[in-house]
Amino acid sequence: MVEAVQGKGVVVTGAGGGIGAALARRFAAEGARVVVNDLDAGRAGAVADEIGGIAVPGDASAIVAEARDALGGTVDVYCANAGVGFAGGDVSGPLDEQGWAVSWDVNVMAHVRAAHALLPDWLERGAGRFVSTVSAAGLLTMIGAAPYSVTKHGAYAFAEWLSLTYRHRGLKVHAICPQGVRTDMLAATGSAGDLVLRPTAIEPEDVADALFKGIEEDRFLILPHPEVAEYYQARAAEPDRWLKGMNRIQRQWEAGR
C-alpha cells in the first residue's frame, strides 16, 4: 500500500475506460475513496460499481464541486485524465477550427479550470496532489496530429508551471507522458499510430504502475516508456537532428498511406 493515498479522496476524470479506469482501480486498491468521472454515465457507473467508488458523470471541466461533495468535502488527489485526440490535423488542408477548439478546451483548459477550483483549499491546507495525463506528444510531438500535439504541449507546460509555482506550499504535481497505450484512443490514431505507437504500446495498468512508482519517489515526470527520456534529451540537445529524424518518419508514413 502507498501511504500517500490511503484514505484520500481521489477524482479521476475520463475514467470510464482506458488509462482513467486503470488509475481509478489502482487508487481504490490502494485504499483511496474514488470518484469516477466520465462523459458516458453508464461507463462511469460501471467502473464505480466495480471498485466501490462514486460515479460523477459529466464534463470534466465542471465537476470539482460535485466531486468534492461526493467525497465529504475534500478532494486530496485530482487526476486530470480526460482528453481528446483527433486523427489528422494537417493544417495545409481545410482548417478544422472546431477540432482545435475542442482539443484546447479538453486537453488544456479542463486542467486549468480544475486547478482554479482546487487550489484555494489545497493552499489553505498546505497539501494537494494534481496528476495530469499528458502524453509523450507533450514532450516530443506526434505526426499527423497537430491539435493533439500542440495542446498536449500546453498540458505539460501547465503541469510544470503548477509544480514550480506551488511546490513550496504543499502541492505535488505529476505529469504522465506515455507513448502508445492500448486504449480506444490508440485505435483511433489510424495508420500514424500503427507506425509510431503500436509497436511499443503498453497496457493502461502499466501506466498506473508507473504513476504509483512516481508517487512513492516523489517525481514530477512520469515516463511509462523510459526511452522517452532519451528522445527528450536528444530533442533538446540537437533539435535540428531530431526534427530531421521525425521528418523521415513523416515521409515514411506518407509513403505508406
Side-chain angles (χ1 to χ4, degrees), residues 16-226:
I19 293 172
L23 293 177
R25 292 184 182 109
R26 182 61 180 271
F27 274 105
E30 295 285 345
R33 299 171 292 114
V34 182
V35 161
V36 179
N37 162 260
D38 200 273
L39 273 176
D40 187 321
R43 296 182 73 179
V47 174
D49 288 345
E50 174 193 337
I51 67 173
I54 308 162
V56 178
D59 185 341
S61 286
I63 55 96
V64 169
E66 187 176 353
R68 183 184 285 126
D69 289 344
L71 291 168
T74 303
V75 174
D76 299 294
V77 182
Y78 188 90
C79 298
N81 172 77
V84 294
F86 292 97
D90 181 351
V91 294
S92 66
L95 182 60
D96 180 6
E97 293 204 14
Q98 183 179 3
W100 276 93
V102 171
S103 295
W104 179 254
D105 195 63
V106 177
N107 292 346
V108 180
M109 291 308 300
H111 298 203
V112 175
R113 295 183 188 112
H116 180 73
L118 291 160
L119 276 169
D121 178 57
W122 283 353
L123 296 179
E124 183 179 345
R125 290 193 287 130
R129 192 179 300 270
F130 192 92
V131 179
S132 178
T133 301
V134 184
S135 166
L139 296 175
L140 308 170
T141 195
M142 177 60 190
I143 62 171
Y148 183 78
S149 295
V150 171
T151 56
K152 287 299 186 177
H153 273 73
Y156 181 79
F158 183 64
E160 192 174 58
W161 183 89
L162 282 177
S163 181
L164 68 88
T165 303
Y166 297 114
R167 61 170 46 214
H168 66 292
R169 299 182 64 181
L171 179 62
K172 296 186 180 296
V173 182
H174 308 281
I176 311 174
C177 296
Q179 291 193 112
V181 183
R182 296 187 185 98
T183 65
D184 292 343
M185 189 176 288
L186 176 61
T189 59
S191 58
D194 289 342
L195 176 63
V196 177
L197 302 175
R198 197 173 298 278
T200 59
I202 59 177
E203 298 297 332
E205 291 75 19
D206 297 322
V207 179
D209 288 344
L211 171 62
F212 272 78
K213 184 176 180 182
I215 289 174
E216 289 185 290
E217 297 175 355
D218 197 21
R219 279 189 289 106
F220 167 76
L221 183 56
I222 310 297
L223 297 177
H225 294 80

